[in-house]
Amino acid sequence: AGVIRYVALFIMLLGTWFIVQTYFDYRWKTISLRSWLGEQLPRHKCGNQKSCPHNHFAFKIISGAANVVGPSICFNDVVLMSNVKNNVGRGLNIALVNGTSGQLLKADVFDMYSGDINKLDTFLQEIKHGTIVLTASYDDAATKMNDKVRAHFMELGSSHVSKLGFRDNWVFLGAKGLKNKSPFEEHIKNDKMTNKYDGWPELLEIEGCAPRKMD
């Protein structure tokens, strides 16, 4: 009976580990149960589930969790913004990348609760054609949001920014000069009936392959 109990406990611990396993964003190396057991798995850029085709950039964007854990942005296997890099903060965390070379152009944080919305307005206006824009929310992304700023994001390909509200979570990849709506966007409302955290919805994560600008 004692052996059976130990076996059952071991199985339960393995199951719990499998459920709660996560990854650490430094170098984006996935720590999985299978690799812990010795199975070597192929690693894709930004720790994504799949590799990207030629002339595409791998990316992963994770929003903040409540007002506790900051967001992270990875592009072409380089972490551009994260808690580890100490360059994220409350509001909207935005990284601009050259759509042809994949090189980081600029990264900044805009406090959307008590900051100056004109700073964000100017930032968005100055984005050049062909620039890829990666955005992750943290804590509150919309209190200072106005119609002018929402219009800028819509021009970058956003379908959800018009509905963005207090403490909503939002992750988005768009581009200046995009002719259609971006397929890379997730948005979850702040709703006390469905929030995962006390006063905040669960974090959001998107990953994928952004096409390189060829012309």
Side-chain angles (χ1 to χ4, degrees):
V3 173
I4 295 175
R5 283 199 299 269
Y6 282 122
V7 171
L9 177 61
F10 180 70
I11 293 173
M12 182 181 69
L13 289 174
L14 283 179
T16 301
W17 173 251
F18 184 79
I19 293 171
V20 303
Q21 61 175 319
T22 186
Y23 46 80
F24 183 62
D25 78 344
Y26 181 74
R27 296 297 299 168
W28 293 79
K29 291 183 177 178
T30 302
I31 303 173
S32 69
L33 177 64
R34 287 178 294 180
S35 62
W36 179 64
L37 292 175
E39 182 181 348
Q40 295 299 316
L41 300 175
R43 181 187 176 276
H44 306 297
K45 289 184 177 180
C46 288
N48 290 356
Q49 295 182 12
K50 299 179 180 180
S51 61
C52 290
H54 181 62
N55 286 328
H56 285 69
F57 297 111
F59 74 89
K60 179 177 288 185
I61 307 173
I62 306 175
S63 72
N67 63 344
V68 179
V69 180
S72 58
I73 297 175
C74 176
F75 189 84
N76 201 29
D77 216 25
V78 177
V79 178
L80 305 180
M81 304 183 76
S82 71
N83 277 333
V84 174
K85 294 182 71 70
N86 196 31
N87 63 348
V88 295
R90 178 175 72 179
L92 292 179
N93 297 260
I94 305 177
L96 305 183
V97 175
N98 184 295
T100 301
S101 68
Q103 294 299 307
L104 176 66
L105 300 173
K106 187 184 297 185
D108 210 341
V109 181
F110 302 90
D111 187 338
M112 301 300 289
Y113 184 77
S114 59
D116 182 3
I117 192 62
N118 293 316
K119 179 185 176 185
L120 177 57
D121 182 29
T122 300
F123 180 88
L124 296 174
Q125 285 189 57
E126 294 177 348
I127 297 176
K128 295 181 179 180
H129 186 84
T131 301
I132 296 174
V133 182
L134 303 96
T135 305
S137 66
Y138 179 33
D139 189 356
D140 174 43
T143 294
K144 290 284 187 172
M145 187 77 72
N146 58 30
D147 291 341
K148 190 175 180 181
V149 168
R150 293 180 196 272
H152 288 316
F153 279 111
M154 291 173 68
E155 290 176 358
L156 296 171
S158 174
S159 302
H160 295 272
V161 69
S162 61
K163 300 174 286 187
L164 197 63
F166 175 66
R167 286 186 177 177
D168 289 0
N169 260 347
W170 182 45
V171 286
F172 166 65
L173 182 146
K176 189 63 175 286
L178 195 66
K179 296 180 180 179
N180 302 304
K181 293 299 181 182
S182 171
F184 306 121
E185 184 173 24
E186 293 289 342
H187 169 225
I188 185 170
K189 297 294 294 181
N190 167 27
D191 186 337
K192 64 180 181 180
M193 299 298 294
T194 59
N195 282 347
K196 182 174 182 178
Y197 309 109
D198 184 19
W200 289 270
E202 64 182 314
L203 63 80
L204 290 174
E205 175 180 330
I206 57 172
E207 63 178 54
C209 304
R212 184 191 301 268
K213 185 178 183 297
M214 302 301 293
D215 53 7

